[in-house]
Amino acid sequence: MFALRVEMRRNYGRGKERRGWNSHKCSLHPHRHRRPSHNNRAQSLEREEQQTPVNAGPSSNEDPSSSSSSQNSVAPELPGFYYDPEKNRYFRLLPGHNNHNPLTKDSIQHKAMECKRLRLLEEEERQNQKTTRTGLNSSVLLQKRQLGLLSSTSYCRLVHELKVNCMQRRKIEIHSLDSSVAGTNNFKIIVADVACERIFTVNDVEHGGCKYGIINLSGLGKESLSVEMYDNLYFTNRKVNSVCWASLTHPDSHVLLCLMGIAETPGCASLLPASLFSSTNPGARPGMLCSFKISTAWSCAWCLNPQADNCFSTGLTRRVLVTNVVTGHRQTFGTSSDVLAQQFATQTPLLYNGCRSGEIFSIDVRQRNRKGQSWKANRLFHGSAVTSIHLMEAEHYLMAADMAGKIKLWDLRTAKCVKQYKGHHNEYALLPLHVNEKEGLLIAVGQDCYTRIWSLQDAHLLRTIPSPHPSSKDAIPSVVFSSRLGGSRGVPGLLMAVKQDLYHFSYN
């Protein structure tokens, strides 16, 4: 009996050796059996390539944002080999073997993401009325709500989910007085004014640098989507780090820009009057145009609180600078890290700041200059650099995003995180947050070029929108969401600017 058991074990071991890397379990844990040498293992794997594919590919119905991580978890990485999810097998990499078509980890991941993006775009084109699941429609939801089968929170979230998933993409036609300019420059940043009647644009120029423009959204209410773009001769060869609208002479009369310095040219904060971009009255005075020399400015914010009238702030390297435009008076607050995001409160004279160190703090702008840390209030901490902050209307809560892809809602009264919105993707970019409390939505564009929409109430991810253009670091979409695009009689929806195109997603 003992001899029979020994013989069975030997046969079992030989069977495992013969199967080699055909067994997925064996490929993950080759050390459990006889450990082959590196050369023998590579030769064995090369033979298996030509015979039987390794069935370790990721599922085709995975979320596009998690495809690369799922691929790594299902198909283990092997030194000297790469896994092709389309062919569902490994291929060997040799020096000089792919000189005409070099294979890198980044190129392989980019190819996988592009396939996912194209698949999602095809699904959206096939489904004009896309819903998250069968039976999700307004009449059924209303009936369930009236019967008491849905709570108010669940009902609101499901209505938002239905409306968001029925948003359809339509391309907007952009008209310009200079036909040679329209559609030739890539959109970099778009920012809407308070009334959502205009959007300020920063466009990359082919020969380097940036130029500015303003798009009038009044044409969005018509059957044919078209807008008017007004630009001017203003051009900069410096990088635009931050943009916001400023109310100097009247609401949204100017645009505040932070420009980085290059070589011997210092950085600056510029105030451009919006009238520079209007062609209605060419002979009118353009208004106040001023520029303040400032070292590397990462962020900016305009103050609407009467206690700090005509003031703006810039987040610099290890300090915050608050400037009065009319008097030129400046206040400096030293910090321990670069300030990447800023926003003024409207009910109190407080300035909220998000830092590269992950710290979020507020400043009472009525204080005098201080070099210590005693003036900091409402201190919160993220585990990574804070890229965007948004103060909610009641000013009891603050939304913040960081470079680890975390989006958190903080209660400023208790200094605790009360909600976390999962799915955002970021590693190093300064990406903004867009919050619409009236519709109960949070929108953010990730570094993977996907636009994600969450429910504010329960942090549920409602929809992931792929970019109409291939994903790349210089083609990250810039978006604006409003319930009245084009003014008080405008249409609700999402504006997406990517490359040279502008798209509208109707929200009805």
Side-chain angles (χ1 to χ4, degrees), residues 50-95:
Q50 303 171 359
Q51 297 174 4
T52 306
V54 181
N55 297 321
S59 174
S60 61
N61 58 352
E62 291 177 350
D63 183 77
S65 61
S66 60
S67 61
S68 60
S69 61
S70 300
Q71 174 185 330
N72 294 337
S73 61
V74 177
E77 295 185 3
L78 302 178
F81 296 86
Y82 86 96
Y83 175 77
D84 190 331
E86 289 185 356
K87 298 182 180 179
N88 200 26
R89 59 193 295 178
Y90 289 94
F91 289 93
R92 188 178 184 184
L93 296 177
L94 292 175

Side-chain angles (χ1 to χ4, degrees), residues 140-152:
V140 172
L141 294 178
L142 182 60
Q143 185 179 9
K144 289 184 177 181
R145 175 60 180 151
Q146 292 173 345
L147 294 175
L149 301 178
L150 286 175
S151 64
S152 59

